[in-house]
Amino acid sequence: MSLLDGTETQTYDPVRQDLDATSDVAASHWPMNAWYAAAYDVEVGRRLTPVRVAGVPIVLYRRVDGRAVALADACWHRLVPLALGSLEGDDVRCGYHGIRYSPEGRCTHMPAQQTINPSAAVRSYPVAERHRFVWVWPGDPALADPATIPDMHWNDDAAWVADGKVIEVRAGYQLVLDNLLDLTHEEFIHTSSIGNGALSESDFTTTHDSASGRVTVTRWMLGIEAPPLWKYLLSVKFPDYRGPVDRWQIIRFTAPATICIDVGVAKAGTGAPEGDRSQGVNGYVLNTMCPTGPKSCRYLWAIARDFATDSQRITTELREGVAGVFAEDEAMLNAQQAAIDATPGYDFYNLNIDAGGQWARRLITAMVERERM
Amino acid sequence: MSLLDGTETQTYDPVRQDLDATSDVAASHWPMNAWYAAAYDVEVGRRLTPVRVAGVPIVLYRRVDGRAVALADACWHRLVPLALGSLEGDDVRCGYHGIRYSPEGRCTHMPAQQTINPSAAVRSYPVAERHRFVWVWPGDPALADPATIPDMHWNDDAAWVADGKVIEVRAGYQLVLDNLLDLTHEEFIHTSSIGNGALSESDFTTTHDSASGRVTVTRWMLGIEAPPLWKYLLSVKFPDYRGPVDRWQIIRFTAPATICIDVGVAKAGTGAPEGDRSQGVNGYVLNTMCPTGPKSCRYLWAIARDFATDSQRITTELREGVAGVFAEDEAMLNAQQAAIDATPGYDFYNLNIDAGGQWARRLITAMVERERM
Amino acid sequence: MSLLDGTETQTYDPVRQDLDATSDVAASHWPMNAWYAAAYDVEVGRRLTPVRVAGVPIVLYRRVDGRAVALADACWHRLVPLALGSLEGDDVRCGYHGIRYSPEGRCTHMPAQQTINPSAAVRSYPVAERHRFVWVWPGDPALADPATIPDMHWNDDAAWVADGKVIEVRAGYQLVLDNLLDLTHEEFIHTSSIGNGALSESDFTTTHDSASGRVTVTRWMLGIEAPPLWKYLLSVKFPDYRGPVDRWQIIRFTAPATICIDVGVAKAGTGAPEGDRSQGVNGYVLNTMCPTGPKSCRYLWAIARDFATDSQRITTELREGVAGVFAEDEAMLNAQQAAIDATPGYDFYNLNIDAGGQWARRLITAMVERERM
């Protein structure tokens, strides 16, 4: 098995349980040649919205025809944020000296000058809107292919209903990846909603593929009692069922910053592991992070489902339930980042449960290193 | 034309429109051998008032006879700010261990000691009160000549009425100079009060004189409609006039940190450009900055006028009107400083309108370099 | 007299009055092989309490049987603060991934693993509870001998009544030592309670002993009028006495961070200086500092007395009176630390009154240097 390709099954293996201590604690790097979800679609409109994408100050807005625009949020002339200016048709005008730029970043007006210096411009970034997110490509525009935007179609697929929120996390995006690629923490943080003891006791499988930049962590918990949230959701579809369930969590990471988690429970022994989910309920937890700085990120998420799709009540309950769970994670992530900052030189130690997160970091590091060549 | 002397007229010149990008973005330097207006006269009294002048912590107070004193705001003994102590006659006593200093900074009492170490002293700075400001000279006292204090006499001249305020700006003082030496930004920031389209469309002349450390930017706008504030002021003197005006802005910079702007409007075609201002109204916007740190300054200003001098109502209207305009500038300056801090290595690009600010920076740099020789 | 041993009497000596300017201004060092009072006994219970001891993040709690525990406040696995976790019997469980540690810091449970890596551990620190404080030894555990905890027995001695508080000071602990080793500042800061003019006018004696790490500053003020607080306290025991008093302050420093001050007044001329305190009232001001960082410390104090020991009213009056006095010191110390930070390169100058503080710093420096050998 090569280092960057292969499949491994992680079980109770006393020999492998300790990967080497990594020196990735402070890892805050990210590739520039990547699509990052800078904002939810509803956050961008006919106004100037400042964000940071891969650490870069960017201003977002929509043209008159609705297409999103991403410009460097710093006037060429004196560095003032364009977000303090105003929209004029499809152009943005700096609020200080009135220099105006087109959506392509070209200067279209200079005060007190008849001619415009052709070098006067701000950088324009490739933008694509997909799956309800506004994706920005901070790297080489020639490489920006919207076909490589991670698949998060559950967020706007007619067969699914989805809703979500944005969290401004005061922790580096890789710490959020670690969090999502090992869900055993649900047992300890989220005890009242989705945690159950089976999580940390059950086997899981980790696969990775360096060519596509993907890692998958699969965990099945068979014949268990459903935790509170899942018990309620299963009862929506099967009001009379009281028995045990087969529960699944299939975590799919796409480098550098997207994780879609296929989750659900079905009546125990009805064939869910083999592919028949008709006797269960299925959801997708959609997560994608935009690194805003070495120690902060925008965390955009949604929860999608394929049952009771006409119930706004369940949409609201699920969105607010997940928001409560993620607020518990957010507090822990912020504390973890603060502890890392206060402890320079410390290395993380790894357990079996960290296999997914370790592979994700390796794939990200490989992307960053390729850019440096 | 030499680099540091000469006169140039700045018009729509496509060739000259781009001075080289400067590397002065982060320029926070200032000469030490200069008078800085540390405070308005009313800010200094029989109490201890801490300020920073050219980055130096200084405590201001008045002697019993009213003369202002400026001492280093750090006790010789243990560095505690003297501003936390108390006045005893003309002396100041440290609030921690009771060490007392004269207005000249000599120690006049030490607790638990019969004799006083002659070296025990805090630095005393030359002070002069002029034009309603308390000026402090942070550099070599031997060079401190009050005759070199910039002329701001409109602030206490019997023929003029003036009033003003202090702004604590979170931006370096050179960014405020840039702001005041190019008033085309009025068109974009101050659209509802003093801005008009003619500002960025009209020619202007920039002159400079390195021997006296002066830069002058002159702009005349002939036969225009007066912007709202000027329309009102002209109507105070000429209630029946409804016609066009000739408007002037003559910006006079004195290095390192003072700008007096001769502003006004007169009935169009009545000879104001040639020197007859009898058919107009005239004001002076007086501005002087005290650098408190590399990214902050005290900005002391006043607005003076020579018409309706007995109307307190107009004094208040003008002071509050200008305060509102300057609050718009302050927000932009704070955002600009924050953007500069977040973008290390960025250079400013210059337009025609930046000629005055560029010359001011050169004169300041020359002063600083002379001090280093 | 050697530099580190001996006795000297400090009087009005114009020759000695100026020790050399020290370069100890920024001194924030502390020995690691020392007991520090991390918390009051009541601050530690069956919950997780984060503190910093000698700059190290530590979590305190009590076992089921009440014994205090001090563990490094950072999970071995991912650095999350253990204080965010929960107690399980005598163990602490990390709130993120559920890793559990014994009071000795050994890992007792790992999620999703059958065996535990024997290297999985957090550091456990020696703890001892004495004189109502929970003392922690951040250095080499082999050297931690509870017999070397400074004597502060007045805080829980049957013959005395004591009560106190904790101040989180935003200044290095050595600045607090300076404050307590020279009480002449009472005359200037604490004029309304315990200050009187005699303080800075009276002789004092400074002795030190490097073997035991002790400094003593003794000051007697004979036949003076008692300051307000002492006048009141003496009247509690001798309601009818209105005459002058002999007042004493015997400041005893034990390196690195403890100062016990024997204070009191007796009817003048009744033999207090010679040892008969029967005609007076006696208190002990107990102070011990825990350095939490280079510019901050926990300051734990108590005020003890041997008179009117059954009056809770006087206990409260004394505790709140001292708290008011120390709040005045706290404001000055915070301002002093801020001034030091703003004035890099500045050296303190020393007066006669600083002899005690200077010797304390020398003893601390010697401890730190011995650790480095």
Side-chain angles (χ1 to χ4, degrees):
Chain A
M1 191 186 74
S2 88
L3 191 67
L4 286 175
D5 285 281
T7 300
E8 60 188 304
T9 299
Q10 205 79 43
T11 55
Y12 301 144
D13 176 356
V15 179
R16 282 206 79 271
Q17 77 191 346
D18 284 287
L19 303 177
D20 290 323
T22 60
S23 38
D24 280 340
V25 171
S28 60
H29 53 218
W30 50 71
M32 296 303 281
N33 290 323
W35 291 105
Y36 292 103
Y40 248 99
D41 52 7
V42 292
E43 294 185 285
V44 184
R46 286 290 294 165
R47 61 188 174 278
L48 297 164
T49 301
V51 291
R52 295 222 170 203
V53 180
V56 180
I58 285 176
V59 60
L60 300 174
Y61 66 94
R62 290 188 187 277
R63 285 181 178 85
V64 174
D65 67 9
R67 283 177 297 152
V69 177
L71 295 178
D73 191 19
C75 182
W76 167 86
H77 172 230
R78 279 291 185 266
L79 217 49
V80 159
L82 293 179
L84 295 177
S86 56
L87 277 181
E88 295 193 359
D90 285 355
D91 287 6
V92 57
R93 187 188 283 279
C94 179
Y96 198 172
H97 298 95
I99 298 172
R100 203 175 63 203
Y101 301 94
S102 75
E104 294 76 28
R106 282 193 304 271
C107 180
T108 56
H109 180 79
M110 275 186 179
Q113 303 205 172
Q114 282 179 317
T115 56
I116 294 167
N117 181 333
S119 82
V122 294
R123 191 166 165 189
S124 174
Y125 295 90
V127 182
E129 203 158 344
R130 195 141 316 175
H131 316 318
R132 295 210 50 211
F133 300 124
V134 177
W135 301 82
V136 174
W137 179 277
D140 180 356
L143 304 176
D145 177 2
T148 64
I149 290 176
D151 177 18
M152 305 184 82
H153 76 273
W154 304 271
N155 211 20
D156 58 358
D157 184 311
W160 295 76
V161 167
D163 202 3
K165 295 193 177 182
V166 181
I167 305 172
E168 304 282 350
V169 186
R170 296 191 299 278
Y173 82 111
Q174 295 195 1
L175 297 183
V176 186
L177 297 180
D178 287 346
N179 176 283
L180 291 165
L181 280 158
D182 161 40
L183 296 178
T184 59
H185 74 268
E186 292 182 359
E187 181 176 340
F188 304 100
I189 299 190
H190 310 310
T191 45
S192 64
S193 53
I194 53 174
N196 60 342
L199 274 163
S200 68
E201 292 157 17
S202 57
D203 283 6
F204 60 98
T205 306
T206 304
T207 65
H208 62 277
D209 175 48
S210 72
S212 65
R214 294 203 179 144
V215 176
T216 303
V217 179
T218 305
R219 175 180 275 115
W220 280 91
M221 294 150 276
L222 303 181
I224 65 166
E225 183 181 350
L229 182 63
W230 281 116
K231 194 172 290 187
Y232 166 67
L233 294 174
L234 190 63
S235 78
V236 169
K237 188 165 170 185
F238 304 103
D240 300 326
Y241 187 73
R242 297 281 181 278
V245 298
D246 294 342
R247 178 180 182 186
W248 66 92
Q249 292 176 328
I250 304 169
I251 309 166
R252 293 192 178 92
F253 166 74
T254 305
T258 298
I259 292 177
C260 297
I261 314 178
D262 175 4
V263 291
V265 298
K267 296 176 189 174
T270 58
E274 294 75 31
D276 176 6
R277 295 176 171 186
S278 65
Q279 298 304 303
V281 287
N282 188 193
Y284 268 82
V285 187
L286 309 172
N287 314 273
T288 188
M289 267 65 69
C290 180
T292 49
K295 300 172 182 179
S296 64
C297 63
R298 302 202 88 201
Y299 174 6
L300 295 84
W301 62 265
I303 172 74
R305 74 181 187 281
D306 69 350
F307 57 94
T309 51
D310 53 0
S311 167
Q312 178 60 37
R313 170 181 168 170
I314 291 179
T315 300
T316 301
E317 282 175 337
L318 265 183
R319 187 192 64 230
E320 296 305 318
V322 173
V325 164
F326 283 5
E328 293 172 319
D329 287 304
E330 183 189 1
M332 193 61 79
L333 290 164
N334 293 352
Q336 185 183 23
Q337 181 70 60
I340 290 169
D341 296 346
T343 318
Y346 191 90
D347 279 339
F348 278 179
Y349 290 88
N350 295 310
L351 307 179
N352 291 348
I353 56 174
D354 299 311
Q358 289 305 105
W359 282 116
R361 285 172 181 249
R362 284 174 192 150
L363 297 181
I364 291 168
T365 299
M367 287 180 82
V368 171
E369 284 172 357
R370 277 197 297 274
E371 289 187 357
R372 287 181 181 155
M373 283 192 302
Chain B
M1 192 184 76
S2 88
L3 190 68
L4 285 175
D5 285 281
T7 300
E8 61 188 304
T9 298
Q10 205 78 45
T11 53
Y12 301 145
D13 176 358
V15 178
R16 281 206 79 272
Q17 78 193 345
D18 283 287
L19 303 178
D20 290 324
T22 61
S23 37
D24 281 340
V25 170
S28 59
H29 54 220
W30 49 72
M32 296 303 281
N33 289 324
W35 291 104
Y36 291 103
Y40 247 100
D41 52 7
V42 292
E43 294 185 285
V44 183
R46 287 290 294 163
R47 62 188 174 278
L48 297 164
T49 302
V51 291
R52 296 224 169 200
V53 181
V56 180
I58 284 177
V59 60
L60 300 175
Y61 66 94
R62 291 189 187 276
R63 287 182 179 84
V64 173
D65 67 9
R67 283 177 298 152
V69 176
L71 295 178
D73 190 19
C75 182
W76 167 85
H77 172 229
R78 280 292 184 266
L79 218 47
V80 160
L82 293 179
L84 294 178
S86 56
L87 276 181
E88 295 193 0
D90 284 356
D91 287 6
V92 58
R93 188 187 281 281
C94 178
Y96 198 174
H97 298 95
I99 298 171
R100 204 176 63 204
Y101 301 93
S102 75
E104 294 77 27
R106 283 193 304 273
C107 180
T108 56
H109 178 79
M110 274 187 179
Q113 302 204 171
Q114 283 178 315
T115 57
I116 293 167
N117 181 334
S119 82
V122 295
R123 190 167 166 188
S124 173
Y125 294 89
V127 181
E129 203 158 345
R130 196 140 316 174
H131 316 317
R132 295 211 49 212
F133 299 124
V134 177
W135 301 81
V136 174
W137 178 278
D140 180 356
L143 304 177
D145 178 3
T148 63
I149 290 175
D151 178 18
M152 306 184 82
H153 76 272
W154 304 270
N155 210 21
D156 58 359
D157 185 311
W160 295 75
V161 167
D163 202 3
K165 294 193 177 183
V166 181
I167 306 172
E168 305 283 350
V169 186
R170 296 191 301 278
Y173 82 111
Q174 295 195 2
L175 297 182
V176 186
L177 297 180
D178 288 346
N179 176 282
L180 290 165
L181 279 158
D182 162 41
L183 296 178
T184 59
H185 74 269
E186 292 181 0
E187 180 177 341
F188 304 100
I189 298 190
H190 311 310
T191 44
S192 65
S193 53
I194 54 174
N196 61 342
L199 274 163
S200 67
E201 292 157 17
S202 55
D203 282 5
F204 60 98
T205 305
T206 303
T207 65
H208 62 276
D209 174 49
S210 71
S212 64
R214 294 203 179 142
V215 176
T216 303
V217 179
T218 305
R219 174 180 275 115
W220 280 91
M221 293 150 277
L222 303 180
I224 64 166
E225 182 180 352
L229 183 63
W230 281 116
K231 193 171 290 188
Y232 167 68
L233 294 174
L234 190 64
S235 78
V236 169
K237 189 166 170 186
F238 304 103
D240 299 326
Y241 187 73
R242 297 283 182 276
V245 298
D246 293 341
R247 178 180 184 187
W248 67 90
Q249 292 176 328
I250 304 169
I251 309 167
R252 293 192 178 94
F253 165 73
T254 305
T258 298
I259 292 177
C260 297
I261 314 178
D262 174 6
V263 291
V265 299
K267 297 177 190 173
T270 59
E274 295 75 30
D276 177 5
R277 294 178 173 184
S278 64
Q279 299 304 302
V281 286
N282 188 192
Y284 268 82
V285 187
L286 309 172
N287 313 273
T288 188
M289 269 65 70
C290 180
T292 49
K295 300 173 183 178
S296 63
C297 63
R298 302 202 89 203
Y299 174 7
L300 294 84
W301 62 266
I303 172 75
R305 73 180 188 281
D306 69 351
F307 58 94
T309 53
D310 54 358
S311 167
Q312 178 60 37
R313 171 182 166 170
I314 291 180
T315 300
T316 301
E317 284 175 335
L318 265 182
R319 186 191 65 231
E320 295 306 317
V322 173
V325 164
F326 284 3
E328 294 171 319
D329 288 304
E330 183 189 2
M332 194 61 80
L333 290 165
N334 293 352
Q336 186 183 22
Q337 182 70 59
I340 289 169
D341 297 345
T343 318
Y346 191 90
D347 280 338
F348 279 179
Y349 290 88
N350 295 310
L351 308 179
N352 291 348
I353 55 175
D354 299 310
Q358 289 305 105
W359 282 115
R361 286 172 180 247
R362 284 175 192 150
L363 296 182
I364 291 169
T365 298
M367 288 181 81
V368 171
E369 284 173 356
R370 278 196 297 271
E371 289 188 358
R372 287 182 182 153
M373 283 191 303
Chain C
M1 192 185 74
S2 88
L3 191 67
L4 286 174
D5 285 281
T7 300
E8 61 187 304
T9 299
Q10 204 78 45
T11 54
Y12 301 143
D13 176 357
V15 179
R16 281 207 79 272
Q17 79 193 345
D18 284 287
L19 303 177
D20 290 323
T22 60
S23 37
D24 281 340
V25 170
S28 59
H29 53 219
W30 49 72
M32 296 303 280
N33 289 323
W35 291 105
Y36 291 103
Y40 248 100
D41 52 7
V42 293
E43 293 185 285
V44 183
R46 287 291 293 164
R47 63 189 173 278
L48 296 164
T49 301
V51 290
R52 295 224 169 200
V53 181
V56 179
I58 284 176
V59 60
L60 300 175
Y61 66 94
R62 291 189 187 276
R63 287 182 180 84
V64 173
D65 67 10
R67 282 177 299 151
V69 176
L71 295 178
D73 191 20
C75 182
W76 167 86
H77 173 229
R78 280 290 185 266
L79 219 47
V80 160
L82 293 179
L84 294 178
S86 57
L87 277 181
E88 295 194 358
D90 285 355
D91 288 7
V92 57
R93 186 187 284 280
C94 178
Y96 198 174
H97 299 95
I99 298 172
R100 203 175 63 203
Y101 301 93
S102 75
E104 293 77 27
R106 283 194 304 274
C107 179
T108 56
H109 180 78
M110 274 186 179
Q113 302 203 171
Q114 282 178 317
T115 57
I116 294 167
N117 182 332
S119 82
V122 294
R123 191 167 165 188
S124 173
Y125 295 89
V127 182
E129 202 158 345
R130 195 139 318 173
H131 316 318
R132 296 210 48 211
F133 299 124
V134 177
W135 300 82
V136 174
W137 179 277
D140 179 356
L143 304 177
D145 177 2
T148 64
I149 290 175
D151 178 18
M152 305 185 83
H153 74 274
W154 304 270
N155 211 20
D156 58 358
D157 184 311
W160 295 75
V161 167
D163 203 3
K165 294 193 176 183
V166 181
I167 305 172
E168 304 283 349
V169 186
R170 295 191 300 279
Y173 81 111
Q174 295 195 1
L175 297 183
V176 186
L177 297 180
D178 288 346
N179 177 283
L180 291 166
L181 280 159
D182 161 40
L183 296 178
T184 60
H185 74 267
E186 292 181 0
E187 181 176 340
F188 304 100
I189 299 191
H190 311 309
T191 45
S192 65
S193 53
I194 54 174
N196 61 341
L199 274 163
S200 68
E201 294 158 16
S202 56
D203 282 5
F204 60 97
T205 306
T206 303
T207 65
H208 62 276
D209 176 49
S210 71
S212 65
R214 293 202 179 144
V215 177
T216 304
V217 179
T218 305
R219 174 180 276 113
W220 281 92
M221 293 150 276
L222 304 180
I224 64 166
E225 183 182 351
L229 183 63
W230 281 116
K231 194 172 289 188
Y232 167 68
L233 294 174
L234 191 63
S235 77
V236 170
K237 188 165 170 185
F238 304 103
D240 300 326
Y241 188 73
R242 298 282 182 278
V245 298
D246 294 341
R247 179 181 182 185
W248 67 91
Q249 292 176 329
I250 304 170
I251 309 167
R252 293 191 178 93
F253 166 73
T254 304
T258 297
I259 292 178
C260 297
I261 314 179
D262 175 6
V263 291
V265 299
K267 296 176 189 173
T270 57
E274 295 74 30
D276 177 6
R277 296 177 172 184
S278 64
Q279 298 303 301
V281 287
N282 189 191
Y284 267 82
V285 187
L286 309 172
N287 313 273
T288 189
M289 269 64 70
C290 181
T292 48
K295 300 172 182 177
S296 63
C297 62
R298 301 202 88 200
Y299 174 6
L300 295 84
W301 62 266
I303 171 74
R305 72 181 187 281
D306 69 351
F307 58 95
T309 52
D310 53 359
S311 168
Q312 177 61 37
R313 172 182 166 170
I314 291 178
T315 301
T316 301
E317 283 176 336
L318 265 181
R319 186 192 64 230
E320 295 306 318
V322 173
V325 165
F326 284 4
E328 293 172 319
D329 288 303
E330 183 189 1
M332 194 61 80
L333 290 164
N334 293 353
Q336 186 183 22
Q337 181 70 60
I340 290 168
D341 297 345
T343 319
Y346 191 89
D347 279 339
F348 278 179
Y349 291 87
N350 295 311
L351 307 178
N352 292 348
I353 55 175
D354 299 311
Q358 290 304 105
W359 283 116
R361 285 172 180 247
R362 285 175 191 149
L363 296 182
I364 291 168
T365 299
M367 288 180 81
V368 171
E369 283 173 355
R370 278 197 297 274
E371 290 187 357
R372 287 182 182 154
M373 284 192 302

